[in-house]
Amino acid sequence: AGVGAAVNPSAVLALAQFESVQLPDLLPAVNHSPPRLNSPHLRVVLRASAPQGEQPHFGVMLEQAHGVGITSVGTHFDGAVPVQDPSGAWCATLTFTDLPLHTGEYSVSVFLFDSQGLVVYEERKDCARFQHVFAQSTPGLVRLPHVWS
């Protein structure tokens, strides 16, 4: 392509894709149930390719299994910068520490954005499901930090 040549958007999209999405804190699934979270923390390990010279951004959305949104986060919102490994892949690990969810089934969706966080290169909706068991189950969706006085 010469100077001023048009860029084929589908060629750019073909270069930008997830290589892997892992949730290493999940136990293996039993029967037809989703895997169970085996930690107080939920880690989402992301690895993706992007066009040469472009540092992409990642997004993660956590929902109840039936589609009620709980939270969404993105490297571009949080000021985090994915790291490029020696193979050229872009990597980031998101950790939800001390996950405050009550007992239930949950879903994770992931998003790969361009360097500005505006264009969605790839979306993996509901790419992982898991069960979370909270020992002191009470009504509600989450246990928010609080203080009694």
Side-chain angles (χ1 to χ4, degrees):
V3 175
V7 175
N8 180 349
S10 35
V12 171
L13 290 175
L15 295 173
Q17 61 186 4
F18 280 107
E19 293 180 7
S20 65
V21 177
Q22 299 175 342
L23 281 72
D25 300 311
L26 301 184
L27 294 171
V30 177
N31 299 324
H32 298 291
S33 297
R36 184 173 168 182
L37 183 61
N38 190 37
S39 167
H41 315 296
L42 175 66
R43 287 181 297 154
V44 182
V45 180
L46 304 167
R47 180 181 171 87
S49 58
Q52 182 70 29
E54 180 175 353
Q55 178 245 298
H57 282 287
F58 294 112
V60 176
M61 183 167 57
L62 183 60
E63 300 174 283
Q64 283 186 307
H66 302 292
V68 175
I70 297 167
T71 191
S72 58
V73 296
T75 54
H76 49 301
F77 290 129
D78 296 335
V81 178
V83 175
Q84 194 169 28
D85 73 12
S87 76
W90 290 94
C91 307
T93 299
L94 168 68
T95 304
F96 289 107
T97 57
D98 298 317
L99 198 65
L101 298 176
H102 284 195
T103 299
E105 290 187 17
Y106 298 91
S107 168
V108 173
S109 298
V110 297
F111 304 86
L112 178 62
F113 294 98
D114 71 343
S115 62
Q116 302 299 308
L118 300 174
V119 176
V120 178
Y121 284 149
E122 185 179 0
E123 171 184 331
R124 290 194 181 177
K125 185 88 170 111
D126 195 19
C127 67
R129 287 189 174 220
F130 68 95
Q131 295 179 58
H132 180 58
V133 177
F134 182 64
Q136 301 170 336
S137 205
T138 57
L141 180 60
V142 298
R143 182 162 177 83
L144 297 176
H146 59 280
V147 176
W148 287 94
S149 58

